[in-house]
Amino acid sequence: MAICYNKLEQATAADSLSTGIYQGDAMIKIRIPGWKEISLFHLVLDMNGTLTLDGRLIEGVEGNLLSLSSNISIHILTADTFGTAHEVFRDLPVSLDLIPGKDQIRAKEAFLQGLEGDAAAMGNGRNDAGMLGSAAVGIAILGPEGAASQTVQASDVVVRGVNDGLGLLLNPGRLVATLRR
């Protein structure tokens, strides 16, 4: 499968006791007791430091993205620091969106807010904080590059690596166990 390759020119302003986990129809629906019900249509991911290290895909990510792609639309946001984005995601069923180098916090948040339907978001950098805070579920990734404190504070969940974060969506009961009240 080929990726959809887009360039964003400029950001615009744009409970129940049952867990109720449903997957299918390009959506992951999760009912989190004491919190909210989420119908995830999109997963928005930062590239560098989240999915890749030094421009190369972290082991296990490709398989997890392939598994998730039948249940949710996957969007990769990047400034493409290492110039490898197109090559890395060429054969994966994802949308790759280049963001401007300036005001990335606003650009990522505006991208997420422009999507139709709920989205989960994952990232580790300071420029991911707005995106994670605006997502239906924000997941901070504590990966090999670390994670910015602002991003951790803006998130709903913090995981020790990207595959753990992707695993929350592949196995939504884990997300329910973490976020229930």
Side-chain angles (χ1 to χ4, degrees):
M1 291 186 193
I3 60 173
C4 174
Y5 196 67
N6 302 305
K7 182 176 180 180
L8 302 178
E9 295 300 327
Q10 178 131 359
T12 59
D15 280 295
S16 143
L17 294 176
S18 69
T19 56
I21 300 166
Y22 312 95
Q23 290 183 307
D25 299 325
M27 173 182 58
I28 300 172
K29 189 171 186 176
I30 309 166
R31 179 173 298 145
I32 302 172
W35 193 37
K36 62 183 173 180
E37 186 172 309
I38 307 166
S39 298
L40 297 174
F41 291 92
H42 305 278
L43 172 58
V44 181
L45 297 144
D46 167 60
M47 179 179 156
N48 292 311
T50 300
L51 296 170
T52 64
L53 178 62
D54 300 329
R56 292 186 302 265
L57 208 57
I58 292 171
E59 187 176 336
V61 168
E62 182 175 356
N64 283 328
L65 290 178
L66 286 169
S67 295
L68 276 170
S69 68
S70 62
N71 291 318
I72 197 166
S73 295
I74 301 171
H75 309 271
I76 312 297
L77 302 183
T78 184
D80 202 11
T81 304
F82 296 97
T84 61
H86 189 68
E87 179 65 26
V88 167
F89 296 105
R90 180 183 61 218
D91 297 325
L92 290 173
V94 302
S95 169
L96 181 63
D97 294 277
L98 296 177
I99 58 169
K102 292 185 179 182
D103 204 5
Q104 290 185 359
I105 292 172
R106 191 167 150 249
K108 288 182 174 187
E109 186 173 12
F111 178 89
L112 185 130
Q113 291 173 343
L115 294 172
E116 197 168 309
D118 286 343
M122 295 185 199
N124 73 315
R126 180 180 292 180
N127 62 359
D128 299 318
M131 174 176 77
L132 269 61
S134 294
V137 116
I139 303 170
I141 307 298
L142 183 56
E145 290 184 358
S149 62
Q150 298 90 334
T151 301
V152 169
Q153 290 174 344
S155 70
D156 298 302
V157 179
V158 179
V159 294
R160 60 188 173 164
V162 65
N163 289 306
D164 294 324
L166 296 170
L168 292 176
L169 299 179
L170 288 166
N171 303 286
R174 296 176 187 172
L175 199 56
V176 172
T178 300
L179 292 175
R180 71 174 357 134
R181 289 189 183 168

